[in-house]
Amino acid sequence: MALPILLGVFAHPDDEALLAGGVLAQHAAEGAGADVVTATWSPTSHRAPELTDALAALGAGEPRMLGYADARIPDSAPGRARLCDAPLDEVVELLVGHIRAVRPQVVVTHDAYGQLTGHPDHVRTHQATVLAFHAAGLEHLHTDAGAPWQPGALYAATHPLSGVGELGPLLERVGKRILSVPDEHATATVDVGEWLEQKWAAISAHRSEAARERSLPGMLSRLPAAERESIISTEHFTLLASRPTPGELQQLAF
């Protein structure tokens, strides 16, 4: 069965590689098409060329950067608001424009917790992407953002409780909290072992993060290969929404 066109929407450069690098590489390798929107950091910052290299390793096109500032690094986008301070509708309209331009069948973003550690940029990206997923298909919303396009499904990259594994102790070692979801919330679990080389190349391409001791790319880079591969070889997702389909229901159901 042919894979769908995939669009990832993530908060920071490196989130795409860490959270969905395997499925992005899978879709690109099978000719389905994969693109990534990154909400923070300026296209003129040092992280932009790193993102370019990471996406090249995954086969996921050129960077699509919204250019907002990181909540914890205001000078990551001089003169721009932090993502968490920007008007929500403004962010949604920008994302709608990218969805309508790429015309993906599937959109992937952060989960409602903000991905394990609850980073405010992750949470804001989740909120804006959920709204943009629905708005993109409505012709009377964001009329300047292109022709309507309704993706078929919206997924959140997530971490079920039983799937945290060695990642939990690794993050706890540097004082980061773990926000995992109940196992039943993970509706898709993908073994990305076949695309591990591309995924690790993409993570490693974020050189400034790999050089930091407390960042996840940095911590992963200092692990033995077998332990690192165990952590990054499985990706988990929750189906959040799907394309509306007409039906004969005469009452609400669950």
Side-chain angles (χ1 to χ4, degrees):
M1 184 174 64
L3 291 177
I5 298 170
L6 184 65
L7 177 66
V9 183
F10 297 104
H12 310 108
D14 81 358
D15 290 333
E16 81 295 328
L18 290 165
L19 301 175
V23 297
L24 287 165
Q26 175 193 22
H27 283 244
E30 298 196 16
D35 282 272
V36 171
V37 176
T38 306
T40 68
W41 287 80
S42 167
T44 62
S45 69
H46 70 277
R47 297 196 67 179
E50 296 177 353
L51 178 61
T52 298
D53 291 345
L55 297 183
L58 298 174
E62 295 296 319
R64 294 171 174 269
M65 304 181 75
L66 301 189
Y68 290 106
D70 186 312
R72 295 170 181 167
I73 311 174
D75 63 359
S76 57
R80 290 294 303 278
R82 298 189 310 164
L83 175 64
C84 56
D85 296 331
L88 181 58
D89 199 53
E90 174 187 286
V91 182
V92 170
E93 183 164 18
L94 291 174
L95 292 179
V96 166
H98 285 288
I99 291 172
R100 290 176 176 174
V102 175
R103 299 172 73 85
Q105 276 109 20
V106 174
V107 176
V108 177
T109 190
H110 299 277
D111 67 14
Y113 277 145
Q115 224 64 54
L116 281 176
T117 59
H119 194 294
D121 290 336
H122 293 186
V123 174
R124 189 64 158 182
T125 300
H126 166 85
Q127 294 167 343
T129 305
V130 170
L131 292 173
F133 172 85
H134 295 290
L138 299 176
E139 62 179 324
H140 300 301
L141 288 179
H142 307 294
T143 54
D144 293 332
W149 174 259
Q150 181 59 63
L154 173 64
Y155 283 89
T158 195
H159 291 83
L161 182 60
S162 65
V164 171
E166 300 98 326
L167 185 57
L170 188 67
L171 292 172
E172 289 170 349
R173 202 177 302 161
V174 294
K176 295 184 178 182
R177 59 180 177 166
I178 305 298
L179 300 173
S180 56
V181 302
D183 285 0
E184 58 269 24
H185 284 220
T187 52
T189 296
V190 184
D191 179 351
V192 298
E194 186 175 345
W195 302 278
L196 212 54
E197 182 178 347
Q198 295 96 313
K199 180 173 180 174
W200 179 239
I203 294 171
S204 301
H206 293 285
R207 296 170 287 278
S208 58
E209 287 299 288
R212 295 177 56 229
E213 289 190 8
R214 286 175 50 84
S215 74
L216 186 51
M219 289 186 285
L220 289 171
S221 68
R222 290 186 291 276
L223 292 177
E227 187 175 346
R228 177 174 66 240
E229 290 173 4
S230 174
I231 291 173
I232 68 172
S233 63
T234 305
E235 295 174 356
H236 305 276
F237 303 91
T238 299
L239 177 63
L240 298 180
S242 57
R243 180 187 292 113
T245 54
E248 298 299 322
L249 283 178
Q250 300 300 311
Q251 63 185 45
L252 298 181
F254 62 92

